[in-house]
Structures are given as structure tokens and as C-alpha cells.
Amino acid sequence: MESRKEYADAPAHPWSIEAEAVLDGLDTSPRGLSERDVERRLERYGPNRLRGIERRSALAILWDQVKSLIMLLLVSAMIVSVVSGQTAEAVAIAAVIAINTAIGFFTEWRAVRSMEALQKMAEVTARVRRSDAETEVPASNLVPGDIVLLREGEIVPADLRLIDLDQLQIDESALTGESVPVSKHVEPVGEDAALADRLDMAYRGTAVSSGTAAGVVTGTGMRTELGEISEMVESAGQNQTPLERKLDHLGRHLVWLTLGIAFLVTGTGLLAGRDLYLMIETGIALAVAAIPEGLPIVATVALAYGMRRMMRRNAFVRRLSSVETLGATTLICTDKTGTLTRNEMVVRRLHQPDGQTDFSEESDPANPTEDADRDAGEDAVRAAARVAVLCNGADDETGDPMEIALLDFGRKLGLERDDLVDRMDELRTEAFSRETNMMATFHQSEEGVFVAVKGAPEVVLEASTHRLKDGAEGPFGEDEKARWHEIDDEMARDGLRVLGLARKTVDDEDADPYSDLCFLGFVGLLDPPKEEVRDVIRRFRDAGIRLVMVTGDHPETALNISRAIGLSEDGRAVEGRDFPEAGGDSDASASGILQADVVARVTPQQKLDLIDLYQKNGEIVAMTGDGVNDAPALRKADIGVAMGDRGTEVAQEAADMVLQDDELGTMAVAIEQGRIIFENIRKFVIYLLSGNVGEILAVAVGAAAGTVLPLLPLQILYINLLNDVFPALALGVGRGIPEVMSEPPRDPEEAVVTRRGWIDIGGYGILIAASVLGVFFYALWGLEMSDTEAVTISFLTLSITRLVHAFNMRRPGSGLFVNEITRNPFVWGAIILCLALLLIAVFVPVLADILGISPPGPTGWSLIAAGSLFPLLVGQLYVTISGRRSE
């Protein structure tokens, strides 16, 4: 990536030098560039656009859906089936492939749109000064050295070093995470100043909240801060999700298992003197039986169904496989403003010479509850509130969030600004400026001209010669002022944004507003935490998930919120500047970062470094965000979670999931669903593979025994068509149990089928095969039934055994009759449907002839019932004993 240092004539750190030096370095002036200069620079630097991202073609997306080993093996099996004339088998496999591919294709079609959203931010015009004349040009035509003019409501079109301004405030929340507009100035700041502290710069993509300014362009296109973020989004990419990795791993195992089964059974049959064509046909059928054809489609449907449940709870998942990844999440990096807090300012403290008043969430300034600690008198509080309401430029809904909070504070005391102004005509306003750091309004009163002043605490103290105490104005000495400086520091350490309030009465509205003031006190404001956040954090902790606050805000503010919500008790926090330098190897620094509960003042690149550090430490990381600056981290995280209400389009397009209500509790619901879905996937994989192993063992033993095969090729395919889809699908969409959120996250590296799972698959498979072979050989040799009758009994026994085997998939320790399986209506529906299809196969002559079966009669049905129930009873006993051992 190119850097600003590669500009031959641009300062490397324009925020750290005087504006005149920046103009000289760019060979420009406040009069602006000439058209000839613009043409030359446009040719040299290129248009002011973000680089486009190469879009994947439809064929590339389609290939992504079918390139997994399981899908490729299914395609191969379908081709072999067509060549060997097994039309029914080929059609069944083709249907599975087509459905799974279509769902995956249309799901991925809308993925990865962050770069396009970023480029939309360039589709604006800019007001510039060229050859000392103001004109409007497309923002794409801006070049370094251009003089850009800004006013309220405009989007900053390029990175600018401010050279002149009037009460400029810029909303940089999308870029830096700051929750309130930032007041700008033209004085240089330190070279190592964080992005949020470069108050003499305006950055592309941010919005002018108030005031006007002129700035010289120092960066365009990909050389802007927004451009750097877009490049990080592009390079961050998206990792393959744990579920995708695990299913691919399982698929590779099944490839070798399938080939081994095909050769083993075919060879065994040939050694027993079987017909060559029959054994090849049976080998192919068993090879397909070994592959859980329903695995891709059931996994997809299970994820889609879970996604649907999440959408009902305001969580929109953009990528199906991300649903499962949520269940493996071990750490959540959450932003502060709007996620943990309400994203609105409220007055929490009023510190006055008469005393301190703290307001809780429920307390009313006019009628404080016992939760409000009030020392100051009512008259003192109302005097301060009157100044806060009069010296205010906001209305009820628009304006600076702090000023809106002051209006709300006054309203609770019965002080409406409109009513006050009706009684005290507003004569003039001295707007807030960076030079004074104060604001004043002049009002006509009975005593004269009333001046209301608010501003930065230190300058209000400096301008005050009196203070209001015990209802009377008295002298305000330096010793007393020194104590108030300490109070200012204390309030700041508590995470409050502090404003000083003062007043005076003069004879003339043209008097200096900022001299001989009467100090009324400090008002402390806070963006309060959401009420439900503490319970959500507790729920995450019960689930073994750690939360870390990652914010662009000040550390003290972040720590105060973290303590209020129970996130951090010991006050551990690190800042972005504490991160080790790139290429450095500081184990101590990394350890401190890993242990911190709050990470403040971070840049987009540092967010990427933080996530990378967590991932290298073995964490599955979920990252929440809403701003442009969050987009790279949302892409880098295992799960990127954007806010749907206040989030930028860039963040939403970069994320895997969007919380439509911006509530952290919604994420807890999503994680619960992720855990349930993984457990469901594991259940139906064990269910599928154990049933398939039972089939394989039954046919292999039958082939070696020299009798008629207990299952014919088309019978195997019919059983798989039923059992590999409907019951498995029912298991995949189960609602699970709430207890999953009281367990720690599973090991991120844990396979879909663990060692214990393979033991269960083998044990259940042997049990199923033994039951099928038992009734088959008893019918064939004990009752001397015909080959067709015996095969019919083994076919129906295996079919029904595999259906009721679904009940063996209940959780160890769950109730025998009431559990997550018996409460699943889809399981009962699948069993009824499959039984109906089995009866159709038995009693519809055409289908019975194709499958080679006949009605079994009363004796046959008795054998089928006994053979089908035996694995269920043994399986239930095993699950019950396993549950008791695990307690």
C-alpha cells in the first residue's frame, strides 16, 4: 500500500506542523490551485476514488458450492450410477446436489459487498477555491493542494489539513468511534497523536455537524484514512469457518472409507462366488450408502432454519456457515457506544459550592429519590439548570447530544427553554469557539442583561471571580479554585464529560461575556449503560464467553462504563499506543493486552492486530461494530457483527451478522442458536453414519455368508433416500435445550465427530447390523422363508430401526420420555412420513416389484417389530447410563 510519504511534496504528518508549512509543502496557497495545476496533479495522483474490488463471477461462486470433497464424491457417484443404468439412484443424488448448490449459490451471491459500500461514499461533490474563485466540482477531481470549503451538513470529500474555521464540529463517530461531534481547531498537534486527537484535520467520509471551514487536501483516493481502511477490508478477507473446515475434514475421511468399502464388499462377494455384475452393483450402492448424501443439504437446511429463528429475534445472518461459528465463540470484542450504552447523554452529577448532587437512572432532579445523593439546595440546582437551558443551541431532537441532555435536565425541573426565552428575550449569542472554549447567551431580565455561560471547566473557573453559595454571591479565591480543579479531575476519572456553568448580570448587551463571572458549578454528563447489559454479560460469563470492550473513546470513560456494567472490576485497560510496534516481539505487552478487559483509543489497524493476537491465542473471536473504521476488523474476525439500526452500510456489508435492534442480548440469542445448531449437526451426522455403518455391515456379512444378500442395491438407495433426509433433517432443526448456555464453549478444534462419536457410530452400527442379520437369518433358516420374504423382513427391519434410532440421539442425562427429541414435532412427522412411504413400497405392486419385496404377513411383521425395537431399547439404556456417569 502506498503511504503519504510517497507524495514528493506532501508532509508526512500534516497534523503536526503549522498550516502555512503544509501549504508551502504542497506548493499551494489559500487562493487555491490553478486549473493547469489541477490537471497536472490529477494526472500524477489519479482521481479521488477508492480502488474497486474485483467481483467474483457467477461461475466462481457456483464452483465454491460444489468443490467440497463430499459434493465432488456425490457427483462421481451420480455419474457411475448413470453409466451403470441406476436411474433412480442418479436422480436421488442429483436432487440433493441441485438443492444444496442452489441454496449455497444464492446465499453467497450477496456476500462481500463492503468495497462497493465504501465507494458510494465517493459519490459526492465538493466546494473548492481555485484561482481565488469558489466553484463546485466532483469529489473525484480533487487533488493534493486543493483548497476545500466545508459547511454544516456536508461530507468531507478528502483528507484535509484545516487552515481556517469558524466553530467547526465534525461527527467522526463512523471513523474513530467518538460518540459526540468533535470541535476542531487549526493549531498543530503532536506527531504521534491518535486519529481521534488530530483536531486540526478533517477526514474523508466524516460529516460536518456545525460551523464552516477551509482546508487543504493532503490525501486523496487510497491515500486517505478511508482508503487505508478500504484496503484493510480488501486484504483482511474472510477465513473458512470452523464448520466448513470440519465438514471438509469429515469428507476426506469418507472418501477413503467409501473406496475401501466398495473394494472390500465387492472382493468378499466375488470370493464367495457371487455374480460379478451383482457385486459391482452392490459395491457401488454401498459406496453411496457410506456417504451421507443428506449431509450437505441437511447441514444447509439446519443452518438456514437456525438463521430463520435468529431473524425472528432481530439477528440477520448473512452467511449460513457463520451460524454454527457463533456457537464456538469464546471471546467477544464489543464496541461501547450504542452497544453497551444507550448512545445518548444524560446529566448524572451536579457539583456546586453548596454541595454535590448525584442522579441515578430513576431520580428526578425536582423530586429526587433516595438513590439521588443531594447536598446542594433547590435554589442552587435550579440556578445552574437555568443557565444550562438558556446557554444552549440545541432543540429537543437535534444538536449536540450534551446540549440536548441539558435541555432534558432543565425540563425535569420545569424549565423549558421556550418559556424562559419568552420571559427573558434572547438579545444575542456568543457562539462556542476553540479560542475561548466557552459559549454565552445574553437575555433581557428585570435586573438588567442576564448572561448565561457554559464551557470547559478550566476556562470557566479562570473567568470566574465570584461563586454562588448559600444563596449569595461571594468571592472566589485561588485556593478554592485549586480544589475545583481537583473536582474536575475526579469527575473526569469517573468517566463524566464535564462542563462549567456561570452567570452574571450586566448593563449592556455588548459587554464582554467572559469576565467577572459568578461560578455556579460543574455538570457531569454520561452516556449511560443499557439496563439489560449487566444481565447479558452475566449470561455470557455463564456460557464461558469473555467480553472485551474495544473503543475509540477515552480510557477513563470506557473504564467507568465497564465498571458500571460489571465487565471490569479491577480497572484493567490498555490503549492502542500500548500495542507493540509492528515486527516487534514483546511477550509482556501481548500478555497485558490479552488480559485487559478494556482496549481504548484503538485505530482500525490496531483492531486487526488485536483480533489476530486473540486468534493466535486460540480464541474464536466475534467482533461488533457500526462504523467505517470497524469494517476491516469485522471482516477479520471469525464472526463480524454489525449494528443494523445505527450501523453504516460499510460495516453491515463487511459483517457476517447484523443485529437489527443493536442489542447485545440479541447476540446472546444468536450464540445460543449457534450452539444448538452444532449439537444438532453432530446428532444427525452420528445418526446418519451409524445407520449407514449398520447397512454396510449387514450386507458385508451377508455377502460373506454365501446366502442371498440381506439388502439389494435399490433397497439400499430407497432406505437412504428416506432416512438420510427426513429424520436427519428433523434432528437438524430441533430447538435444543436452554442448558447449552450454561456450558463452556467447545474446543474450537473439536471435530464434528469426536473419538467418542466414532465409538458411538461403530457401536450403534454393530447393534443395527446384528438386529437386521438376526431377523434375516432366523427368517431364512429358522422359519425357512423364501429369499424374497427374508429380504423383505431385513429391508423393513433396517428401515424402521433407522427411523426409531433417532430417539437414541437424545442428550445423555435427559429424560427418557420427555427430551429434546420427543419434544421435536418434526421427528414425529418424519417418522410418520417415512412409515407411510415404506408401506407404499410394500403394498404398491409396481414399487414392490422394483424393490424386490413382498408383504411380510403377521409372522414377518412380528419379526420386524422385534428386530426394530431391540436397538432402540439397548440404545436408550446406553444413553441413560452415559448420562449418569457424566453427572
Side-chain angles (χ1 to χ4, degrees):
M1 175 174 37
E2 292 181 308
S3 69
R4 296 187 184 89
K5 292 182 179 180
E6 292 172 332
Y7 278 165
D9 52 359
H13 306 288
W15 56 86
S16 65
I17 58 179
E18 296 289 344
E20 292 78 6
V22 177
L23 292 170
D24 291 341
L26 287 164
D27 193 19
T28 187
S29 73
R31 294 168 53 88
L33 299 171
S34 67
E35 289 300 327
R36 184 177 178 184
D37 287 335
V38 171
E39 290 175 5
R40 285 202 307 263
R41 299 190 186 198
L42 194 59
E43 182 178 352
R44 177 181 180 186
Y45 300 116
N48 180 32
R49 295 194 186 101
L50 300 181
R51 183 169 58 245
I53 187 171
E54 183 179 351
R55 295 199 53 186
R56 290 189 300 159
S57 66
L59 287 177
I61 297 175
L62 183 63
W63 172 246
D64 283 343
Q65 311 309 311
V66 299
K67 68 181 181 182
S68 70
L69 286 171
I70 289 180
M71 290 296 290
L72 293 177
L73 192 57
L74 286 175
V75 172
S76 301
M78 181 185 67
I79 294 173
V80 171
S81 299
V82 172
V83 172
S84 61
Q86 302 301 320
T87 306
E89 170 191 338
V91 169
I93 298 173
V96 169
I97 293 172
I99 295 172
N100 183 70
T101 302
I103 292 175
F105 178 84
F106 289 109
T107 299
E108 294 293 331
W109 181 260
R110 281 186 46 80
V112 195
R113 292 291 181 264
S114 356
M115 289 300 296
E116 292 179 3
L118 281 167
Q119 287 182 304
K120 288 181 181 179
M121 301 187 79
E123 299 172 2
V124 296
T125 58
R127 293 185 303 115
V128 299
R129 188 184 298 140
R130 290 177 177 171
S131 300
D132 207 23
E134 182 178 330
T135 184
E136 191 169 290
V137 300
S140 58
N141 287 347
L142 292 177
V143 296
D146 257 327
I147 303 300
V148 174
L149 307 177
L150 300 175
R151 62 189 173 196
E152 183 176 344
E154 292 181 339
I155 300 296
V156 180
D159 284 4
L160 310 176
R161 172 60 164 91
L162 299 171
I163 61 175
D164 184 37
L165 56 81
D166 181 16
Q167 303 171 31
L168 180 68
Q169 288 191 318
I170 295 182
D171 180 0
E172 296 182 333
S173 58
L175 192 63
T176 67
E178 287 282 2
S179 56
V180 296
V182 179
S183 296
K184 295 291 185 175
H185 59 68
V186 298
E187 291 78 19
V189 296
E191 184 177 307
D192 60 348
L195 185 67
D197 295 328
R198 299 171 192 170
L199 300 180
D200 55 342
M201 296 289 294
Y203 289 107
R204 177 176 180 166
T206 59
V208 179
S209 298
S210 62
T212 60
V216 58
V217 174
T218 58
T220 59
M222 296 300 291
R223 297 181 181 89
T224 61
E225 289 293 332
L226 189 62
E228 291 183 7
I229 289 174
S230 72
E231 186 145 351
M232 283 188 281
V233 171
E234 185 177 346
S235 61
Q238 280 182 310
N239 299 322
Q240 191 181 34
T241 67
L243 180 62
E244 291 169 330
R245 292 195 298 268
K246 290 164 187 172
L247 290 181
D248 281 349
H249 181 73
L250 179 61
R252 286 192 294 272
H253 279 75
L254 290 176
V255 168
W256 296 109
L257 178 64
T258 298
L259 294 176
I261 289 169
F263 283 111
L264 177 63
V265 174
T266 302
T268 301
L270 291 176
L271 290 175
R274 303 283 184 178
D275 177 70
L276 175 62
Y277 177 77
L278 175 63
M279 291 318 301
I280 292 175
E281 184 181 33
T282 302
I284 292 173
L286 283 177
V288 175
I291 307 170
E293 291 99 329
L295 179 58
I297 185 61
V298 173
T300 300
V301 172
L303 293 171
Y305 192 78
M307 182 176 72
R308 180 184 172 195
R309 285 202 294 257
M310 291 183 195
M311 286 185 66
R312 292 175 179 171
R313 301 292 296 274
N314 294 317
F316 172 65
V317 179
R318 296 171 48 81
R319 192 179 180 199
L320 279 180
S321 51
S322 300
V323 176
E324 179 274 335
T325 311
L326 280 165
T329 299
T330 60
L331 184 142
I332 299 173
C333 294
T334 176
D335 59 341
K336 176 182 70 70
T337 304
T339 303
L340 301 178
T341 67
R342 299 201 313 236
N343 196 24
E344 59 184 39
M345 303 297 288
V346 296
V347 172
R348 278 299 174 84
R349 184 177 301 172
L350 189 61
H351 208 125
Q352 300 179 272
D354 277 346
Q356 174 182 310
T357 305
D358 288 315
F359 303 104
S360 70
E361 189 69 30
E362 297 80 14
S363 58
D364 183 343
N367 299 291
T369 67
E370 59 183 16
D371 295 326
D373 177 19
R374 171 168 290 184
D375 295 326
E378 182 71 22
D379 291 342
V381 172
R382 290 183 66 84
R386 185 171 69 155
V387 166
V389 171
L390 286 174
C391 187
N392 202 303
D395 58 31
D396 290 341
E397 296 181 355
T398 61
D400 188 302
M402 288 191 291
E403 293 196 325
I404 294 174
L406 293 176
L407 289 179
D408 184 62
F409 176 66
R411 185 175 299 110
K412 291 178 179 179
L413 288 165
L415 300 175
E416 291 282 355
R417 192 174 194 280
D418 289 343
D419 295 339
L420 288 176
V421 173
D422 284 343
R423 298 196 304 269
M424 303 172 63
D425 291 341
E426 186 170 326
L427 304 176
R428 74 180 181 95
T429 298
E430 189 77 19
F432 178 88
S433 70
R434 175 58 60 178
E435 287 72 23
T436 63
N437 272 337
M438 288 185 284
M439 172 186 176
T441 56
F442 289 70
H443 303 268
Q444 185 64 56
S445 70
E446 295 179 358
E447 294 81 14
V449 177
F450 181 84
V451 183
V453 176
K454 77 172 189 297
E458 64 277 7
V459 295
V460 172
L461 284 174
E462 183 66 25
S464 298
T465 57
H466 296 76
R467 48 93 176 113
L468 181 67
K469 186 174 183 180
D470 297 329
E473 295 186 8
F476 198 25
E478 292 301 320
D479 292 342
E480 192 174 356
K481 285 185 180 181
R483 172 56 188 151
W484 280 96
H485 283 293
E486 295 176 3
I487 293 172
D488 178 23
D489 292 338
E490 291 172 1
M491 294 177 71
R493 283 194 295 272
D494 289 338
L496 298 172
R497 295 183 183 272
V498 186
L499 290 173
L501 301 175
R503 73 181 188 189
K504 70 176 179 178
T505 301
V506 296
D507 297 329
D508 186 358
E509 66 180 83
D510 294 325
D512 177 10
Y514 304 132
S515 62
D516 298 322
L517 295 176
C518 177
F519 178 71
L520 301 179
F522 291 155
V523 59
L525 301 100
L526 182 71
D527 180 7
K530 294 180 177 178
E531 297 176 4
E532 67 277 8
V533 165
R534 181 178 284 271
D535 290 336
V536 174
I537 291 175
R538 188 180 300 112
R539 188 179 184 194
F540 281 135
R541 282 182 176 158
D542 291 342
I545 300 171
R546 183 182 166 213
L547 253 71
V548 177
M549 183 194 297
V550 181
T551 177
D553 217 331
H554 292 278
E556 290 295 342
T557 302
L559 276 173
N560 181 268
I561 293 296
S562 73
R563 287 190 288 265
I565 61 178
L567 176 61
S568 173
E569 299 298 336
D570 55 6
R572 288 184 298 174
V574 296
E575 295 186 55
R577 64 186 179 186
D578 299 326
F579 282 32
E581 294 293 329
D585 185 17
S586 175
D587 292 338
S589 177
S591 176
I593 294 169
L594 288 172
Q595 294 175 9
D597 299 313
V598 175
V599 184
R601 282 302 198 198
V602 289
T603 66
Q605 180 60 52
Q606 287 165 345
K607 288 183 181 180
L608 289 179
D609 295 340
L610 181 65
I611 291 173
D612 188 59
L613 183 62
Y614 286 135
Q615 290 173 333
K616 287 179 179 177
N617 200 48
E619 306 282 6
I620 297 295
V621 182
M623 171 78 186
T624 73
D626 57 6
V628 175
N629 61 322
D630 295 319
L634 292 173
R635 289 268 290 173
K636 174 70 175 175
D638 297 289
I639 287 290
V641 183
M643 302 298 125
D645 186 21
R646 71 178 190 281
T648 61
E649 184 179 359
V650 176
Q652 292 174 14
E653 290 292 339
D656 300 292
M657 183 173 74
V658 178
L659 302 182
Q660 294 174 317
D661 57 2
D662 292 6
E663 296 295 336
L664 196 62
T666 301
M667 191 172 177
V669 172
I671 289 177
E672 178 183 25
Q673 287 300 315
R675 291 187 174 190
I676 290 172
I677 286 168
F678 186 84
E679 189 170 287
N680 289 344
I681 290 175
R682 174 171 285 168
K683 284 177 181 176
F684 75 65
V685 167
I686 293 175
Y687 168 80
L688 289 175
L689 294 184
S690 57
N692 289 352
V693 166
E695 289 180 17
I696 293 164
L697 291 176
V699 174
V701 172
T707 64
V708 63
L709 292 176
L711 294 168
L712 301 179
L714 283 180
Q715 292 174 355
I716 294 171
L717 294 171
Y718 193 78
I719 291 173
N720 286 1
L721 184 63
L722 299 184
N723 293 282
D724 281 10
V725 177
F726 300 112
L729 190 59
L731 291 173
V733 297
R735 292 188 175 274
I737 56 175
E739 285 80 358
V740 294
M741 286 299 281
S742 61
E743 300 170 352
R746 66 179 181 276
D747 184 346
E749 299 302 319
E750 184 176 288
V752 174
V753 182
T754 61
R755 181 180 179 183
R756 173 64 180 272
W758 285 113
I759 293 174
D760 287 350
I761 288 170
Y764 282 131
I766 292 172
L767 183 63
I768 292 170
S771 180
V772 171
L773 290 172
V775 296
F776 171 70
F777 287 132
Y778 182 72
L780 192 64
W781 295 334
L783 299 178
E784 297 182 350
M785 290 184 177
S786 66
D787 290 351
T788 299
E789 291 175 319
V791 169
T792 298
I793 288 172
S794 59
F795 164 72
L796 291 174
T797 299
L798 178 61
S799 300
I800 298 173
T801 296
R802 290 197 59 184
L803 287 178
V804 298
H805 179 48
F807 294 110
N808 292 332
M809 297 299 104
R810 67 182 174 90
R811 262 193 166 216
S814 61
L816 179 62
F817 297 106
V818 180
N819 52 65
E820 74 274 20
I821 307 298
T822 59
R823 289 198 304 260
N824 186 344
F826 296 106
V827 169
W828 294 104
I831 290 174
I832 293 171
L833 175 62
C834 290
L835 286 175
L837 293 174
L838 282 174
L839 292 176
I840 290 173
V842 172
F843 294 108
V844 174
V846 175
L847 188 54
D849 290 342
I850 293 174
L851 294 176
I853 58 178
S854 62
T859 302
W861 282 117
S862 298
L863 275 178
I864 293 167
S868 302
L869 291 176
F870 177 70
L872 174 63
L873 296 176
V874 174
Q876 292 296 305
L877 180 62
Y878 167 71
V879 175
T880 301
I881 294 174
S882 298
R884 290 175 180 173
R885 286 179 177 174
S886 61
E887 291 178 354

